[in-house]
Amino acid sequence: MPDRVLRAIDRPTIDHRSQEFAQLGDDCLEGMKRVFQTSQGEVFIFPSSGTGAWEAAIVNTLSPGDRVLMFETGHFGTLWQKLALNFGITVDFVPGDWRHGVQPEAVESKLRDDGRQEIKAVMCVHNETSTGVTSRIAEVRQAIDRAGHPALLMVDTISSLGSIDYRHDEWRVDVGIGGSQKGLMLPPGLGFNAVSQKALEASRGARLPRSFWSWTEMVEPNKHGFFPYTPATNLLFGLREAISMLLDEEGLDSVFKRHQRQAEATRAAVNAWGLELVCVDPREYSSSLTAIFLPDGFDEAAFRNVVLENFNLSLGSGLGKLKGRAFRIGHLGDFNDLMLCGTLCGVEMGLSRFGVPFKKGGVDTAMEYLGRRPS
Ligand code: PLP
């Protein structure tokens, strides 16, 4: 999180019915459309974590008993599926090995098999934060088109938005789901839905009960920069600052390139250490984080603890099926080459202290890569 964003949040809270607020609300709603790369859709902002935005996507578009297609890409794909089941949705959950993204071929064949077109939505996690695997959403869209299926496409962009290229209009995504605490460089507390006209249309007939999450309640007040209930005003001050940094100063393309380059340097270090990436398909490498297996017999939680205690460096834990086996390096948000080098030094020193068998020189390899490939 940049200090600038924190300073923007650190202000007296203003009246959320005032003209001053209307400008703030409008700046955030319009700015978020540009972050989602949509000019045709609407963006809704909730005072919630990402899970709330997941729920909003479901309750606004679906009815009890509806069928959807979801994918076991990792921990978050699994949690989203559980949420859908809790609402009485019938989920066709395509199994996965937690090392690959959504397979476009599987999407196409599942939809072709659905001759009666009962599947209402294809729901994918763009960047699986638990595995460091990024699904190829443009190809998922093409697969849906090839099958000629009318299902909605819903995409969780929580750890890709503002870090990895996500094109809401171009890929004709119907609901994009975001959260404030990752590429948007804010504390947790804002959830986003980017919504196509087709999804808005679907919401008119959807029968799951909803009130707090209802898009319909948002539409009118949003037109004037307002919200139907008390918004997270101070986080919106931060969001306006972050949007201006991402869009007007660095530019989204440069932000994506910066993360891509740092992710490449991270993988160069991992390869030099002789450790194994969780992600196996180079087309699916994540630019926002890298998940790495420790050799058998070395517990990831104990390793992370050594790194935290000795170097004050917080690594990501192994989640779900990867608990105990893999740790994660985050390289998203307000992150530069020196921060990355410091992070990799902490990991390399931690590997030594923890007695992991590995080859030294990962940091050197990453530095060499960064030096060779100027930003
Ligand atoms: N989806 C993804 C890809 C995530 O990374 C997360 C959280 O890390 C979530 C959903 C859930 O979001 P939250 O924890 O903000 O409710």
Side-chain angles (χ1 to χ4, degrees):
M1 256 181 283
D3 289 347
R4 260 177 73 180
V5 169
L6 292 174
R7 283 200 298 273
I9 293 171
D10 182 12
R11 287 187 42 175
T13 306
I14 59 171
D15 173 10
H16 59 275
R17 312 276 179 213
S18 66
Q19 271 319 303
E20 186 186 356
F21 183 89
Q23 187 64 55
L24 172 66
D26 200 52
D27 288 347
C28 289
L29 289 164
E30 288 308 309
M32 283 309 295
K33 285 188 190 166
R34 290 169 62 206
V35 173
F36 274 105
Q37 303 193 52
T38 179
S39 57
Q40 289 154 27
E42 299 289 341
V43 169
F44 299 113
I45 305 178
F46 298 101
S48 78
S49 82
T51 303
W54 263 351
E55 179 161 332
I58 289 175
V59 296
N60 278 287
T61 54
L62 300 174
S63 301
D66 273 356
R67 270 184 71 195
V68 301
L69 197 55
M70 297 180 94
F71 306 87
E72 191 197 357
T73 45
H75 185 63
F76 292 103
T78 306
L79 286 183
W80 198 14
Q81 174 239 10
K82 283 198 184 132
L83 198 155
L85 292 175
N86 288 341
F87 277 103
I89 301 300
T90 306
V91 181
D92 189 345
F93 196 46
V94 180
D97 64 359
W98 292 50
R99 302 192 71 176
H100 291 86
V102 176
Q103 298 300 301
E105 306 75 28
V107 173
E108 184 173 347
S109 79
K110 285 278 180 189
L111 293 181
R112 282 193 192 279
D113 287 349
D114 179 32
R116 286 159 59 183
Q117 303 197 324
E118 285 175 343
I119 295 173
K120 293 284 182 273
V122 175
M123 300 165 70
C124 313
V125 175
H126 186 199
N127 186 71
E128 234 321 330
T129 322
S130 60
T131 61
V133 174
T134 307
S135 286
R136 291 162 282 144
I137 301 302
E139 291 179 40
V140 171
R141 162 45 71 196
Q142 287 163 7
I144 298 173
D145 290 349
R146 275 197 304 275
H149 199 289
L152 296 171
L153 174 59
M154 301 203 210
V155 179
D156 169 339
T157 73
I158 287 173
S159 59
S160 57
L161 196 68
S163 310
I164 298 170
D165 201 2
Y166 168 80
R167 304 180 183 193
H168 191 77
D169 283 359
E170 189 179 317
W171 299 341
R172 298 198 336 276
V173 177
D174 294 297
V175 190
I177 294 108
S180 53
Q181 74 272 26
K182 296 206 167 67
L184 295 174
M185 310 184 291
L186 291 166
L190 294 177
F192 306 93
N193 279 174
V195 178
S196 71
Q197 294 305 323
K198 182 175 162 186
L200 277 176
E201 186 61 37
S203 76
R204 294 189 190 105
R207 284 181 287 103
L208 277 174
R210 55 193 181 268
S211 176
F212 180 81
W213 303 111
S214 173
W215 295 339
T216 317
E217 304 292 326
M218 286 277 194
V219 172
E220 260 317 299
N222 275 186
K223 279 186 189 152
H224 312 284
F226 294 122
F227 292 84
Y229 38 71
T230 311
T233 306
N234 287 58
L235 287 177
L236 296 177
F237 285 130
L239 179 61
R240 178 161 63 183
E241 188 73 12
I243 288 172
S244 141
M245 291 175 75
L246 290 170
L247 295 176
D248 305 325
E249 295 174 30
E250 189 170 357
L252 271 189
D253 281 347
S254 306
V255 173
F256 300 149
K257 281 192 190 121
R258 171 165 55 87
H259 291 308
Q260 200 178 348
R261 178 171 161 279
Q262 287 169 354
E264 280 162 9
T266 305
R267 290 191 296 271
V270 174
N271 288 334
W273 289 326
L275 297 181
E276 190 182 352
L277 294 169
V278 173
C279 181
V280 287
D281 185 340
R283 294 174 302 175
E284 299 179 334
Y285 284 152
S286 168
S287 290
S288 50
L289 77 133
T290 302
I292 303 149
F293 284 114
L294 280 183
D296 284 348
F298 291 86
D299 177 50
E300 125 310 286
F303 166 68
R304 287 186 301 103
N305 207 32
V306 164
V307 173
L308 182 63
E309 293 284 309
N310 286 282
F311 312 117
N312 199 23
L313 170 68
S314 175
L315 294 167
S317 58
L319 290 169
K321 289 184 180 172
L322 297 175
K323 191 172 163 51
R325 299 169 56 211
F327 69 96
R328 296 171 298 146
I329 299 176
H331 32 74
L332 72 171
D334 185 34
F335 206 65
N336 64 33
D337 287 1
L338 293 187
M339 290 161 152
L340 176 64
C341 288
T343 303
L344 296 175
C345 281
V347 174
E348 187 159 331
M349 289 190 289
L351 291 168
S352 291
R353 284 227 181 179
F354 197 54
V356 176
F358 77 104
K359 293 193 228 103
K360 290 207 186 324
V363 174
D364 284 344
T365 309
M367 285 195 307
E368 208 266 321
Y369 181 88
L370 292 169
R372 201 161 21 92
R373 276 205 49 189
S375 48

